[in-house]
Amino acid sequence: STQSTWGVIYLGIETFGSVTVSMFWSFANSVFDTAGAKSGFGLIVWGAQFGAIAGPTLALSTNVVGIANLVGLAGVGVLVIPWLVLAFTRLHSCGGMLSPQQRTGMLEGVRLLLAHRYLLGILGVTAFCEVIVTILDYQMKFQLDMVYSKASDIAAFMGSFGQWTNGVTLIFSFLGTGFFLNTFGLTACLVAFPLFVGLIITYTMLTAPSINTLFYSMVLIKALIYALNLPCKEILYIPTSSDVRFKAKGWIDMFGSRAAKFLGSIINSQLGTVQAFVAYSGPINLAIVGLWVGVALRTGRANRKLASSMLTEHSNGLEKL
């Protein structure tokens, strides 16, 4: 039936969005070194924003283009991806970087994650961010339902939110990501982002924010997640093994991220009322920010040691040639 067909398409899109993005960053982490990633990852995010803006824009033209044609266009885009990856690996002679060193089981990622504090640190950087964003996002939508009664007004608000978020991400990823990473370093950027989030949370606690305040606060937070925190998090994987980049990272991105969203949802359900949100969401978020800053600082310093060790080994190898 038609309903079943669209159900299958929806599941396919959700699976594709979750798995392919994680796999792409695993691929990028395997072919970039740290210096190249600091300059290049921002441009990757910048390019992705054109797709994020073009998708909703095309969706607005459904009556003209037609749903079937839009689905077909998306399918062609998916089929092009493997050929682009193949062309990239041949053009830049990086196929050898992607060759597995040894065969390992599907639970190797879990074993690596539990065995290394560095990977647990990356999990913490990912999870703390997801928990706070889940709480703040729910708080904004909670107020949104109180302010607007019409579905059309809510849809317009969320459409504007998406445009602002993508626009700010587009600008910052092009002008700011590489500049901040190259000027201040990975550790400083990893720590600066949760501190920035903490400042916004403190401001919302002190001012009893309106829906517009929450709107612009979430625009800034989400834009910097994509344009700064995401590239920083991905750079953390570069001085690791292929199993870490493709297997441990998969567990962190899929299960760790969703477990964090689940925890954030539990906190939201326990708070429940506006009064509870006003009284408790701020202190809870600030406590999480404190843990996040500590983990980000420790993980950034560990990355610096790993990157230095990797550079030393590479230099020793060149001297032997």
Side-chain angles (χ1 to χ4, degrees), residues 24-25 28 32-47 173 177-179 181-182 231 235:
F24 166 78
W25 283 111
F32 275 88
D33 58 18
T34 300
K38 287 180 177 180
S39 300
F41 278 10
L43 294 177
I44 291 174
V45 175
W46 176 71
S173 58
T177 305
F179 170 77
L181 280 169
N182 285 308
I235 290 173

Side-chain angles (χ1 to χ4, degrees), residues 282-306:
I284 290 172
N285 283 330
L286 287 180
I288 296 172
V289 165
L291 294 172
W292 184 4
V293 169
V295 171
L297 180 61
R298 183 185 183 91
T299 307
R301 288 174 173 173
N303 174 267
R304 190 183 306 159
K305 292 180 181 178
L306 277 174

Side-chain angles (χ1 to χ4, degrees), residues 219-283:
V219 163
L220 289 174
I221 289 173
K222 287 208 168 185
L224 288 179
I225 284 175
Y226 299 133
L228 184 63
N229 197 56
L230 174 62
C232 288
K233 185 186 71 173
E234 296 302 332
I235 290 173
L236 292 172
Y237 289 103
I238 290 178
T240 61
S241 67
S242 294
D243 276 342
V244 168
R245 293 188 215 106
F246 286 91
K247 295 183 178 179
K249 177 177 167 17
W251 282 92
I252 291 172
D253 288 349
M254 302 298 165
F255 296 96
S257 179
R258 275 145 188 78
K261 289 183 179 180
F262 178 68
L263 177 58
S265 299
I266 290 176
I267 294 172
N268 289 332
S269 65
Q270 292 301 311
L271 294 177
T273 65
V274 175
Q275 293 81 5
F277 267 108
V278 172
Y280 301 114
S281 65

Side-chain angles (χ1 to χ4, degrees), residues 41-274:
F41 278 10
L43 294 177
I44 291 174
V45 175
W46 176 71
Q49 293 315 299
F50 287 100
I53 293 171
T57 302
L58 285 171
L60 291 174
S61 307
T62 301
N63 293 332
V64 177
V65 180
I67 293 178
N69 290 330
L70 286 177
V71 173
L73 181 63
V76 171
V78 171
L79 293 175
V80 167
I81 293 173
W83 296 103
L84 290 176
V85 173
L86 181 62
F88 180 89
T89 55
R90 289 184 174 178
L91 181 63
H92 295 279
S93 302
C94 56
M97 300 179 186
L98 303 174
S99 301
Q101 307 253 334
Q102 57 183 2
R103 298 177 68 88
T104 54
M106 63 178 295
L107 295 179
E108 178 67 10
V110 180
R111 186 193 69 78
L112 288 168
L113 177 60
L114 297 177
H116 298 283
R117 285 185 296 178
Y118 179 70
L119 298 182
L120 291 174
I122 298 177
L123 173 62
V125 169
T126 302
F128 291 138
C129 180
E130 290 286 1
V131 172
I132 289 178
V133 169
T134 301
I135 296 172
L136 292 176
D137 190 58
Y138 183 81
Q139 185 177 358
M140 182 183 74
K141 291 174 181 175
F142 196 87
Q143 283 207 21
L144 181 62
D145 288 336
M146 295 176 62
V147 173
Y148 297 109
S149 57
K150 294 182 180 179
S152 58
D153 292 336
I154 294 174
F157 180 94
M158 294 308 299
S160 179
F161 177 77
Q163 289 177 330
W164 272 86
T165 301
N166 288 324
V168 175
T169 304
L170 184 74
I171 294 170
F172 189 92
S173 58
F174 185 72
L175 299 175
T177 305
F179 170 77
F180 278 96
L181 280 169
N182 285 308
T183 304
F184 301 105
L186 178 62
T187 303
C189 291
L190 280 170
V191 173
F193 179 64
L195 289 176
F196 174 76
V197 173
L199 287 175
I200 290 181
I201 292 169
T202 302
Y203 176 76
T204 59
M205 287 173 60
L206 297 176
T207 59
S210 65
I211 187 65
N212 288 329
T213 302
L214 288 173
F215 175 91
Y216 291 112
S217 298
M218 285 301 296
V219 163
L220 289 174
I221 289 173
K222 287 208 168 185
L224 288 179
I225 284 175
Y226 299 133
L228 184 63
N229 197 56
L230 174 62
C232 288
K233 185 186 71 173
E234 296 302 332
I235 290 173
L236 292 172
Y237 289 103
I238 290 178
T240 61
S241 67
S242 294
D243 276 342
V244 168
R245 293 188 215 106
F246 286 91
K247 295 183 178 179
K249 177 177 167 17
W251 282 92
I252 291 172
D253 288 349
M254 302 298 165
F255 296 96
S257 179
R258 275 145 188 78
K261 289 183 179 180
F262 178 68
L263 177 58
S265 299
I266 290 176
I267 294 172
N268 289 332
S269 65
Q270 292 301 311
L271 294 177
T273 65
V274 175

